[in-house]
Amino acid sequence: MTEKKMTLASAMAAAAFVSASSALASEAITITHAGSQPAIVGAPDKFTGSVRVEDNFKATAPATVGGATVVFEPGARTAWHSHPLGQTLIVTSGVGVVQMWEGRQQEIRSGETVWIPPGVKHWHGASPSNGMTHIAFSESLDGKSVDWLELVTDAQYSSQAAEGQQ
Protein backbone atom coordinates (compact mmCIF):
# COMPACT_ATOMS: atom_id res chain seq x y z
CA MET A 1 0.00 0.00 0.00
CA THR A 2 1.37 3.41 -0.89
CA GLU A 3 1.93 6.07 1.75
CA LYS A 4 -0.93 8.16 0.30
CA LYS A 5 -3.35 5.19 0.47
CA MET A 6 -2.20 4.40 4.02
CA THR A 7 -2.78 8.00 5.08
CA LEU A 8 -6.24 7.95 3.46
CA ALA A 9 -7.04 4.62 5.16
CA SER A 10 -5.82 5.98 8.50
CA ALA A 11 -7.92 9.13 8.05
CA MET A 12 -11.00 7.07 7.21
CA ALA A 13 -10.44 4.84 10.25
CA ALA A 14 -9.99 7.89 12.46
CA ALA A 15 -13.18 9.43 11.07
CA ALA A 16 -15.08 6.21 11.73
CA PHE A 17 -13.70 6.13 15.30
CA VAL A 18 -14.65 9.78 15.91
CA SER A 19 -18.11 9.12 14.48
CA ALA A 20 -18.57 6.07 16.72
CA SER A 21 -17.17 7.97 19.69
CA SER A 22 -19.57 10.84 19.02
CA ALA A 23 -22.48 8.41 18.94
CA LEU A 24 -21.37 6.97 22.27
CA ALA A 25 -20.74 10.45 23.68
CA SER A 26 -24.39 11.30 23.05
CA GLU A 27 -25.15 8.74 25.75
CA ALA A 28 -24.62 11.11 28.66
CA ILE A 29 -23.16 10.16 32.00
CA THR A 30 -26.01 9.86 34.47
CA ILE A 31 -25.71 11.02 38.07
CA THR A 32 -28.42 10.03 40.52
CA HIS A 33 -28.18 12.48 43.38
CA ALA A 34 -28.47 11.24 46.96
CA GLY A 35 -32.05 11.47 48.15
CA SER A 36 -33.46 11.92 44.66
CA GLN A 37 -34.91 8.39 44.49
CA PRO A 38 -37.86 7.69 46.75
CA ALA A 39 -37.37 4.84 49.20
CA ILE A 40 -40.09 2.21 49.31
CA VAL A 41 -41.20 0.04 52.18
CA GLY A 42 -40.15 -3.58 51.73
CA ALA A 43 -43.12 -5.58 50.44
CA PRO A 44 -44.55 -7.92 53.12
CA ASP A 45 -44.37 -10.92 50.78
CA LYS A 46 -40.61 -10.34 50.35
CA PHE A 47 -39.54 -8.95 53.74
CA THR A 48 -40.31 -9.41 57.43
CA GLY A 49 -40.03 -6.42 59.76
CA SER A 50 -39.21 -2.82 58.99
CA VAL A 51 -37.25 -2.62 55.71
CA ARG A 52 -36.64 0.32 53.39
CA VAL A 53 -35.46 -0.26 49.81
CA GLU A 54 -33.78 2.50 47.83
CA ASP A 55 -33.53 1.41 44.19
CA ASN A 56 -30.23 3.04 43.33
CA PHE A 57 -30.14 1.77 39.77
CA LYS A 58 -31.76 -0.69 37.43
CA ALA A 59 -30.03 -2.35 34.52
CA THR A 60 -30.43 -0.47 31.26
CA ALA A 61 -29.66 -2.55 28.17
CA PRO A 62 -27.12 -3.65 27.25
CA ALA A 63 -26.12 -3.61 30.95
CA THR A 64 -27.54 -6.36 33.15
CA VAL A 65 -26.46 -5.22 36.64
CA GLY A 66 -28.86 -3.51 39.02
CA GLY A 67 -28.55 -2.51 42.63
CA ALA A 68 -30.33 -1.17 45.66
CA THR A 69 -29.53 0.04 49.15
CA VAL A 70 -31.57 -1.90 51.68
CA VAL A 71 -32.00 -0.68 55.27
CA PHE A 72 -33.09 -3.30 57.83
CA GLU A 73 -34.22 -2.40 61.34
CA PRO A 74 -33.27 -4.91 64.09
CA GLY A 75 -34.90 -8.29 63.42
CA ALA A 76 -35.91 -7.43 59.83
CA ARG A 77 -34.97 -9.72 56.98
CA THR A 78 -35.64 -10.82 53.42
CA ALA A 79 -37.69 -13.84 52.42
CA TRP A 80 -35.85 -16.87 51.11
CA HIS A 81 -34.78 -16.13 47.56
CA SER A 82 -32.18 -16.90 44.89
CA HIS A 83 -30.54 -15.08 42.01
CA PRO A 84 -29.95 -16.66 38.59
CA LEU A 85 -26.48 -15.08 38.29
CA GLY A 86 -25.66 -14.64 41.98
CA GLN A 87 -25.67 -11.61 44.26
CA THR A 88 -23.09 -9.37 45.92
CA LEU A 89 -23.84 -7.55 49.18
CA ILE A 90 -21.68 -4.77 50.55
CA VAL A 91 -22.54 -4.11 54.19
CA THR A 92 -22.31 -0.35 54.76
CA SER A 93 -23.45 -0.17 58.40
CA GLY A 94 -24.57 -2.28 61.31
CA VAL A 95 -24.59 -5.98 61.98
CA GLY A 96 -26.54 -8.53 59.97
CA VAL A 97 -27.07 -12.18 59.25
CA VAL A 98 -26.93 -14.23 56.04
CA GLN A 99 -27.90 -17.87 55.67
CA MET A 100 -28.14 -20.32 52.80
CA TRP A 101 -30.72 -23.12 52.82
CA GLU A 102 -29.65 -25.88 55.23
CA GLY A 103 -26.55 -23.86 56.15
CA ARG A 104 -25.63 -22.08 59.34
CA GLN A 105 -26.30 -18.42 59.91
CA GLN A 106 -23.28 -16.18 59.47
CA GLU A 107 -22.79 -12.75 60.97
CA ILE A 108 -21.96 -9.90 58.58
CA ARG A 109 -20.67 -6.49 59.60
CA SER A 110 -20.06 -3.05 58.19
CA GLY A 111 -17.25 -3.08 55.62
CA GLU A 112 -17.70 -6.74 54.67
CA THR A 113 -18.65 -8.05 51.24
CA VAL A 114 -20.80 -11.15 50.74
CA TRP A 115 -21.02 -13.21 47.54
CA ILE A 116 -23.99 -15.55 47.10
CA PRO A 117 -23.49 -17.92 44.14
CA PRO A 118 -26.08 -18.36 41.36
CA GLY A 119 -29.19 -20.32 42.29
CA VAL A 120 -28.35 -20.58 46.02
CA LYS A 121 -31.49 -20.27 48.18
CA HIS A 122 -30.70 -17.79 50.95
CA TRP A 123 -31.88 -14.86 53.06
CA HIS A 124 -30.19 -11.90 54.75
CA GLY A 125 -31.15 -9.19 57.18
CA ALA A 126 -30.38 -7.43 60.43
CA SER A 127 -29.35 -9.12 63.63
CA PRO A 128 -31.97 -9.28 66.40
CA SER A 129 -30.48 -6.31 68.27
CA ASN A 130 -28.77 -4.26 65.52
CA GLY A 131 -29.93 -2.69 62.30
CA MET A 132 -27.99 -3.33 59.10
CA THR A 133 -27.70 -1.59 55.75
CA HIS A 134 -26.25 -3.13 52.62
CA ILE A 135 -25.95 -2.35 48.95
CA ALA A 136 -27.13 -5.34 46.91
CA PHE A 137 -26.01 -5.99 43.33
CA SER A 138 -27.35 -8.66 41.01
CA GLU A 139 -27.42 -9.33 37.29
CA SER A 140 -30.48 -10.12 35.24
CA LEU A 141 -30.78 -13.24 33.13
CA ASP A 142 -33.55 -13.06 30.56
CA GLY A 143 -34.89 -9.98 32.36
CA LYS A 144 -35.03 -11.61 35.82
CA SER A 145 -32.61 -10.95 38.69
CA VAL A 146 -34.36 -12.63 41.65
CA ASP A 147 -36.69 -15.52 42.42
CA TRP A 148 -38.63 -14.75 45.61
CA LEU A 149 -39.66 -17.74 47.73
CA GLU A 150 -41.32 -18.21 51.13
CA LEU A 151 -40.83 -15.93 54.13
CA VAL A 152 -38.21 -16.85 56.72
CA THR A 153 -40.16 -17.96 59.77
CA ASP A 154 -39.47 -16.53 63.23
CA ALA A 155 -38.29 -20.01 64.28
CA GLN A 156 -35.81 -20.17 61.35
CA TYR A 157 -34.58 -16.65 62.09
CA SER A 158 -34.15 -17.13 65.82
CA SER A 159 -32.77 -20.67 65.65
CA GLN A 160 -29.21 -19.35 65.65
CA ALA A 161 -29.58 -15.56 65.75
CA ALA A 162 -30.49 -15.65 69.44
CA GLU A 163 -27.30 -17.64 70.15
CA GLY A 164 -25.22 -14.55 69.38
CA GLN A 165 -23.92 -15.93 66.09
CA GLN A 166 -20.91 -18.12 65.51
Side-chain angles (χ1 to χ4, degrees), residues 121-147:
K121 182 177 178 179
H122 70 285
W123 66 269
H124 36 93
S127 74
S129 57
N130 292 286
M132 187 266 297
T133 300
H134 66 50
I135 302 171
F137 298 92
S138 58
E139 288 186 83
S140 294
L141 178 64
D142 299 324
K144 190 170 192 175
S145 65
V146 62
D147 290 306

PDB file of all heavy atoms in Angstrom, residues 121-147:
ATOM      1  N   LYS A 121     -30.367 -20.752  47.376  1.00  0.00           N
ATOM      2  CA  LYS A 121     -31.486 -20.273  48.178  1.00  0.00           C
ATOM      3  C   LYS A 121     -30.925 -19.706  49.483  1.00  0.00           C
ATOM      4  O   LYS A 121     -30.181 -20.403  50.194  1.00  0.00           O
ATOM      5  CB  LYS A 121     -32.455 -21.434  48.451  1.00  0.00           C
ATOM      6  CG  LYS A 121     -33.687 -21.044  49.232  1.00  0.00           C
ATOM      7  CD  LYS A 121     -34.625 -22.253  49.373  1.00  0.00           C
ATOM      8  CE  LYS A 121     -35.860 -21.926  50.182  1.00  0.00           C
ATOM      9  NZ  LYS A 121     -36.769 -23.090  50.289  1.00  0.00           N
ATOM     10  N   HIS A 122     -31.283 -18.462  49.793  1.00  0.00           N
ATOM     11  CA  HIS A 122     -30.700 -17.794  50.953  1.00  0.00           C
ATOM     12  C   HIS A 122     -31.616 -16.667  51.444  1.00  0.00           C
ATOM     13  O   HIS A 122     -32.604 -16.333  50.797  1.00  0.00           O
ATOM     14  CB  HIS A 122     -29.327 -17.221  50.604  1.00  0.00           C
ATOM     15  CG  HIS A 122     -29.407 -16.046  49.663  1.00  0.00           C
ATOM     16  ND1 HIS A 122     -29.676 -16.199  48.316  1.00  0.00           N
ATOM     17  CD2 HIS A 122     -29.295 -14.720  49.860  1.00  0.00           C
ATOM     18  CE1 HIS A 122     -29.706 -15.006  47.736  1.00  0.00           C
ATOM     19  NE2 HIS A 122     -29.484 -14.086  48.658  1.00  0.00           N
ATOM     20  N   TRP A 123     -31.247 -16.084  52.564  1.00  0.00           N
ATOM     21  CA  TRP A 123     -31.883 -14.862  53.063  1.00  0.00           C
ATOM     22  C   TRP A 123     -30.807 -14.046  53.763  1.00  0.00           C
ATOM     23  O   TRP A 123     -29.734 -14.561  54.099  1.00  0.00           O
ATOM     24  CB  TRP A 123     -33.058 -15.168  54.018  1.00  0.00           C
ATOM     25  CG  TRP A 123     -32.669 -15.816  55.316  1.00  0.00           C
ATOM     26  CD1 TRP A 123     -32.588 -17.162  55.564  1.00  0.00           C
ATOM     27  CD2 TRP A 123     -32.301 -15.159  56.526  1.00  0.00           C
ATOM     28  NE1 TRP A 123     -32.189 -17.380  56.856  1.00  0.00           N
ATOM     29  CE2 TRP A 123     -32.014 -16.165  57.481  1.00  0.00           C
ATOM     30  CE3 TRP A 123     -32.168 -13.836  56.914  1.00  0.00           C
ATOM     31  CZ2 TRP A 123     -31.609 -15.877  58.779  1.00  0.00           C
ATOM     32  CZ3 TRP A 123     -31.777 -13.546  58.215  1.00  0.00           C
ATOM     33  CH2 TRP A 123     -31.497 -14.558  59.124  1.00  0.00           C
ATOM     34  N   HIS A 124     -31.103 -12.765  54.000  1.00  0.00           N
ATOM     35  CA  HIS A 124     -30.194 -11.898  54.746  1.00  0.00           C
ATOM     36  C   HIS A 124     -31.002 -10.794  55.398  1.00  0.00           C
ATOM     37  O   HIS A 124     -32.100 -10.457  54.954  1.00  0.00           O
ATOM     38  CB  HIS A 124     -29.079 -11.318  53.868  1.00  0.00           C
ATOM     39  CG  HIS A 124     -29.483 -10.973  52.473  1.00  0.00           C
ATOM     40  ND1 HIS A 124     -29.907  -9.722  52.090  1.00  0.00           N
ATOM     41  CD2 HIS A 124     -29.549 -11.736  51.356  1.00  0.00           C
ATOM     42  CE1 HIS A 124     -30.196  -9.729  50.799  1.00  0.00           C
ATOM     43  NE2 HIS A 124     -29.997 -10.949  50.332  1.00  0.00           N
ATOM     44  N   GLY A 125     -30.450 -10.252  56.474  1.00  0.00           N
ATOM     45  CA  GLY A 125     -31.146  -9.187  57.182  1.00  0.00           C
ATOM     46  C   GLY A 125     -30.353  -8.728  58.376  1.00  0.00           C
ATOM     47  O   GLY A 125     -29.175  -9.055  58.526  1.00  0.00           O
ATOM     48  N   ALA A 126     -31.018  -7.979  59.242  1.00  0.00           N
ATOM     49  CA  ALA A 126     -30.381  -7.431  60.433  1.00  0.00           C
ATOM     50  C   ALA A 126     -30.300  -8.491  61.528  1.00  0.00           C
ATOM     51  O   ALA A 126     -31.053  -9.463  61.531  1.00  0.00           O
ATOM     52  CB  ALA A 126     -31.177  -6.227  60.934  1.00  0.00           C
ATOM     53  N   SER A 127     -29.408  -8.260  62.458  1.00  0.00           N
ATOM     54  CA  SER A 127     -29.354  -9.125  63.632  1.00  0.00           C
ATOM     55  C   SER A 127     -30.541  -8.766  64.532  1.00  0.00           C
ATOM     56  O   SER A 127     -31.197  -7.735  64.318  1.00  0.00           O
ATOM     57  CB  SER A 127     -28.024  -8.933  64.373  1.00  0.00           C
ATOM     58  OG  SER A 127     -28.026  -7.695  65.057  1.00  0.00           O
ATOM     59  N   PRO A 128     -30.825  -9.578  65.543  1.00  0.00           N
ATOM     60  CA  PRO A 128     -31.974  -9.277  66.402  1.00  0.00           C
ATOM     61  C   PRO A 128     -31.860  -7.944  67.143  1.00  0.00           C
ATOM     62  O   PRO A 128     -32.872  -7.295  67.404  1.00  0.00           O
ATOM     63  CB  PRO A 128     -31.992 -10.442  67.403  1.00  0.00           C
ATOM     64  CG  PRO A 128     -31.285 -11.552  66.711  1.00  0.00           C
ATOM     65  CD  PRO A 128     -30.241 -10.881  65.852  1.00  0.00           C
ATOM     66  N   SER A 129     -30.636  -7.513  67.462  1.00  0.00           N
ATOM     67  CA  SER A 129     -30.482  -6.305  68.269  1.00  0.00           C
ATOM     68  C   SER A 129     -29.833  -5.132  67.542  1.00  0.00           C
ATOM     69  O   SER A 129     -29.699  -4.054  68.118  1.00  0.00           O
ATOM     70  CB  SER A 129     -29.672  -6.625  69.527  1.00  0.00           C
ATOM     71  OG  SER A 129     -28.420  -7.182  69.161  1.00  0.00           O
ATOM     72  N   ASN A 130     -29.437  -5.322  66.295  1.00  0.00           N
ATOM     73  CA  ASN A 130     -28.775  -4.256  65.524  1.00  0.00           C
ATOM     74  C   ASN A 130     -29.390  -4.133  64.144  1.00  0.00           C
ATOM     75  O   ASN A 130     -29.677  -5.142  63.500  1.00  0.00           O
ATOM     76  CB  ASN A 130     -27.287  -4.562  65.336  1.00  0.00           C
ATOM     77  CG  ASN A 130     -26.510  -4.497  66.607  1.00  0.00           C
ATOM     78  OD1 ASN A 130     -26.242  -3.427  67.115  1.00  0.00           O
ATOM     79  ND2 ASN A 130     -26.163  -5.656  67.153  1.00  0.00           N
ATOM     80  N   GLY A 131     -29.528  -2.904  63.680  1.00  0.00           N
ATOM     81  CA  GLY A 131     -29.931  -2.686  62.297  1.00  0.00           C
ATOM     82  C   GLY A 131     -28.760  -2.977  61.379  1.00  0.00           C
ATOM     83  O   GLY A 131     -27.615  -3.119  61.821  1.00  0.00           O
ATOM     84  N   MET A 132     -29.043  -3.073  60.080  1.00  0.00           N
ATOM     85  CA  MET A 132     -27.993  -3.333  59.100  1.00  0.00           C
ATOM     86  C   MET A 132     -28.414  -2.724  57.772  1.00  0.00           C
ATOM     87  O   MET A 132     -29.583  -2.782  57.400  1.00  0.00           O
ATOM     88  CB  MET A 132     -27.781  -4.841  58.942  1.00  0.00           C
ATOM     89  CG  MET A 132     -26.588  -5.252  58.079  1.00  0.00           C
ATOM     90  SD  MET A 132     -26.936  -5.571  56.336  1.00  0.00           S
ATOM     91  CE  MET A 132     -28.043  -6.950  56.391  1.00  0.00           C
ATOM     92  N   THR A 133     -27.465  -2.121  57.087  1.00  0.00           N
ATOM     93  CA  THR A 133     -27.700  -1.587  55.748  1.00  0.00           C
ATOM     94  C   THR A 133     -26.692  -2.220  54.810  1.00  0.00           C
ATOM     95  O   THR A 133     -25.512  -2.356  55.160  1.00  0.00           O
ATOM     96  CB  THR A 133     -27.526  -0.049  55.720  1.00  0.00           C
ATOM     97  OG1 THR A 133     -28.458   0.525  56.631  1.00  0.00           O
ATOM     98  CG2 THR A 133     -27.753   0.516  54.328  1.00  0.00           C
ATOM     99  N   HIS A 134     -27.174  -2.616  53.630  1.00  0.00           N
ATOM    100  CA  HIS A 134     -26.251  -3.126  52.620  1.00  0.00           C
ATOM    101  C   HIS A 134     -26.661  -2.600  51.249  1.00  0.00           C
ATOM    102  O   HIS A 134     -27.802  -2.192  51.039  1.00  0.00           O
ATOM    103  CB  HIS A 134     -26.139  -4.651  52.627  1.00  0.00           C
ATOM    104  CG  HIS A 134     -27.379  -5.408  52.242  1.00  0.00           C
ATOM    105  ND1 HIS A 134     -28.136  -5.150  51.115  1.00  0.00           N
ATOM    106  CD2 HIS A 134     -27.978  -6.457  52.842  1.00  0.00           C
ATOM    107  CE1 HIS A 134     -29.134  -6.005  51.040  1.00  0.00           C
ATOM    108  NE2 HIS A 134     -29.070  -6.804  52.088  1.00  0.00           N
ATOM    109  N   ILE A 135     -25.686  -2.604  50.359  1.00  0.00           N
ATOM    110  CA  ILE A 135     -25.947  -2.348  48.947  1.00  0.00           C
ATOM    111  C   ILE A 135     -25.927  -3.717  48.285  1.00  0.00           C
ATOM    112  O   ILE A 135     -24.980  -4.486  48.466  1.00  0.00           O
ATOM    113  CB  ILE A 135     -24.892  -1.425  48.322  1.00  0.00           C
ATOM    114  CG1 ILE A 135     -24.836  -0.095  49.065  1.00  0.00           C
ATOM    115  CG2 ILE A 135     -25.199  -1.200  46.839  1.00  0.00           C
ATOM    116  CD1 ILE A 135     -23.682   0.802  48.654  1.00  0.00           C
ATOM    117  N   ALA A 136     -26.996  -4.031  47.564  1.00  0.00           N
ATOM    118  CA  ALA A 136     -27.126  -5.336  46.914  1.00  0.00           C
ATOM    119  C   ALA A 136     -27.007  -5.155  45.409  1.00  0.00           C
ATOM    120  O   ALA A 136     -27.646  -4.277  44.838  1.00  0.00           O
ATOM    121  CB  ALA A 136     -28.481  -5.956  47.260  1.00  0.00           C
ATOM    122  N   PHE A 137     -26.189  -5.988  44.780  1.00  0.00           N
ATOM    123  CA  PHE A 137     -26.008  -5.985  43.331  1.00  0.00           C
ATOM    124  C   PHE A 137     -26.352  -7.360  42.787  1.00  0.00           C
ATOM    125  O   PHE A 137     -25.937  -8.366  43.351  1.00  0.00           O
ATOM    126  CB  PHE A 137     -24.538  -5.724  42.953  1.00  0.00           C
ATOM    127  CG  PHE A 137     -24.011  -4.399  43.393  1.00  0.00           C
ATOM    128  CD1 PHE A 137     -23.368  -4.271  44.617  1.00  0.00           C
ATOM    129  CD2 PHE A 137     -24.142  -3.293  42.582  1.00  0.00           C
ATOM    130  CE1 PHE A 137     -22.864  -3.052  45.024  1.00  0.00           C
ATOM    131  CE2 PHE A 137     -23.639  -2.061  42.980  1.00  0.00           C
ATOM    132  CZ  PHE A 137     -23.005  -1.944  44.204  1.00  0.00           C
ATOM    133  N   SER A 138     -27.102  -7.395  41.700  1.00  0.00           N
ATOM    134  CA  SER A 138     -27.350  -8.664  41.015  1.00  0.00           C
ATOM    135  C   SER A 138     -27.550  -8.403  39.533  1.00  0.00           C
ATOM    136  O   SER A 138     -27.938  -7.310  39.132  1.00  0.00           O
ATOM    137  CB  SER A 138     -28.548  -9.406  41.611  1.00  0.00           C
ATOM    138  OG  SER A 138     -29.707  -8.622  41.546  1.00  0.00           O
ATOM    139  N   GLU A 139     -27.246  -9.416  38.743  1.00  0.00           N
ATOM    140  CA  GLU A 139     -27.419  -9.331  37.292  1.00  0.00           C
ATOM    141  C   GLU A 139     -28.723  -9.993  36.880  1.00  0.00           C
ATOM    142  O   GLU A 139     -29.180 -10.934  37.528  1.00  0.00           O
ATOM    143  CB  GLU A 139     -26.282 -10.052  36.575  1.00  0.00           C
ATOM    144  CG  GLU A 139     -24.966  -9.334  36.638  1.00  0.00           C
ATOM    145  CD  GLU A 139     -23.949 -10.039  35.772  1.00  0.00           C
ATOM    146  OE1 GLU A 139     -23.938  -9.792  34.541  1.00  0.00           O
ATOM    147  OE2 GLU A 139     -23.178 -10.837  36.321  1.00  0.00           O
ATOM    148  N   SER A 140     -29.273  -9.513  35.799  1.00  0.00           N
ATOM    149  CA  SER A 140     -30.483 -10.116  35.241  1.00  0.00           C
ATOM    150  C   SER A 140     -30.112 -11.160  34.194  1.00  0.00           C
ATOM    151  O   SER A 140     -29.162 -10.987  33.446  1.00  0.00           O
ATOM    152  CB  SER A 140     -31.342  -9.055  34.560  1.00  0.00           C
ATOM    153  OG  SER A 140     -31.831  -8.147  35.498  1.00  0.00           O
ATOM    154  N   LEU A 141     -30.886 -12.214  34.167  1.00  0.00           N
ATOM    155  CA  LEU A 141     -30.778 -13.239  33.132  1.00  0.00           C
ATOM    156  C   LEU A 141     -32.163 -13.347  32.520  1.00  0.00           C
ATOM    157  O   LEU A 141     -33.131 -13.629  33.231  1.00  0.00           O
ATOM    158  CB  LEU A 141     -30.341 -14.578  33.732  1.00  0.00           C
ATOM    159  CG  LEU A 141     -30.237 -15.738  32.757  1.00  0.00           C
ATOM    160  CD1 LEU A 141     -29.141 -15.478  31.710  1.00  0.00           C
ATOM    161  CD2 LEU A 141     -29.946 -17.035  33.510  1.00  0.00           C
ATOM    162  N   ASP A 142     -32.258 -13.077  31.244  1.00  0.00           N
ATOM    163  CA  ASP A 142     -33.553 -13.062  30.560  1.00  0.00           C
ATOM    164  C   ASP A 142     -34.540 -12.139  31.269  1.00  0.00           C
ATOM    165  O   ASP A 142     -35.718 -12.471  31.446  1.00  0.00           O
ATOM    166  CB  ASP A 142     -34.121 -14.479  30.440  1.00  0.00           C
ATOM    167  CG  ASP A 142     -33.213 -15.396  29.630  1.00  0.00           C
ATOM    168  OD1 ASP A 142     -32.593 -14.904  28.653  1.00  0.00           O
ATOM    169  OD2 ASP A 142     -33.114 -16.587  29.973  1.00  0.00           O
ATOM    170  N   GLY A 143     -34.040 -10.995  31.739  1.00  0.00           N
ATOM    171  CA  GLY A 143     -34.890  -9.980  32.362  1.00  0.00           C
ATOM    172  C   GLY A 143     -35.240 -10.235  33.818  1.00  0.00           C
ATOM    173  O   GLY A 143     -35.988  -9.465  34.413  1.00  0.00           O
ATOM    174  N   LYS A 144     -34.687 -11.274  34.441  1.00  0.00           N
ATOM    175  CA  LYS A 144     -35.031 -11.606  35.821  1.00  0.00           C
ATOM    176  C   LYS A 144     -33.769 -11.657  36.666  1.00  0.00           C
ATOM    177  O   LYS A 144     -32.803 -12.327  36.307  1.00  0.00           O
ATOM    178  CB  LYS A 144     -35.764 -12.940  35.869  1.00  0.00           C
ATOM    179  CG  LYS A 144     -36.365 -13.259  37.207  1.00  0.00           C
ATOM    180  CD  LYS A 144     -37.276 -14.468  37.107  1.00  0.00           C
ATOM    181  CE  LYS A 144     -38.073 -14.588  38.378  1.00  0.00           C
ATOM    182  NZ  LYS A 144     -39.041 -15.656  38.317  1.00  0.00           N
ATOM    183  N   SER A 145     -33.797 -10.959  37.831  1.00  0.00           N
ATOM    184  CA  SER A 145     -32.609 -10.955  38.686  1.00  0.00           C
ATOM    185  C   SER A 145     -32.830 -11.667  40.020  1.00  0.00           C
ATOM    186  O   SER A 145     -31.876 -11.895  40.753  1.00  0.00           O
ATOM    187  CB  SER A 145     -32.153  -9.518  38.952  1.00  0.00           C
ATOM    188  OG  SER A 145     -33.142  -8.832  39.695  1.00  0.00           O
ATOM    189  N   VAL A 146     -34.081 -11.985  40.363  1.00  0.00           N
ATOM    190  CA  VAL A 146     -34.357 -12.631  41.650  1.00  0.00           C
ATOM    191  C   VAL A 146     -35.587 -13.528  41.538  1.00  0.00           C
ATOM    192  O   VAL A 146     -36.525 -13.216  40.799  1.00  0.00           O
ATOM    193  CB  VAL A 146     -34.546 -11.585  42.783  1.00  0.00           C
ATOM    194  CG1 VAL A 146     -35.728 -10.679  42.514  1.00  0.00           C
ATOM    195  CG2 VAL A 146     -34.665 -12.243  44.152  1.00  0.00           C
ATOM    196  N   ASP A 147     -35.545 -14.630  42.271  1.00  0.00           N
ATOM    197  CA  ASP A 147     -36.694 -15.522  42.418  1.00  0.00           C
ATOM    198  C   ASP A 147     -37.070 -15.498  43.898  1.00  0.00           C
ATOM    199  O   ASP A 147     -36.334 -16.037  44.736  1.00  0.00           O
ATOM    200  CB  ASP A 147     -36.353 -16.957  41.995  1.00  0.00           C
ATOM    201  CG  ASP A 147     -36.151 -17.076  40.500  1.00  0.00           C
ATOM    202  OD1 ASP A 147     -37.052 -16.662  39.751  1.00  0.00           O
ATOM    203  OD2 ASP A 147     -35.080 -17.571  40.085  1.00  0.00           O
TER     204      ASP A 147
END
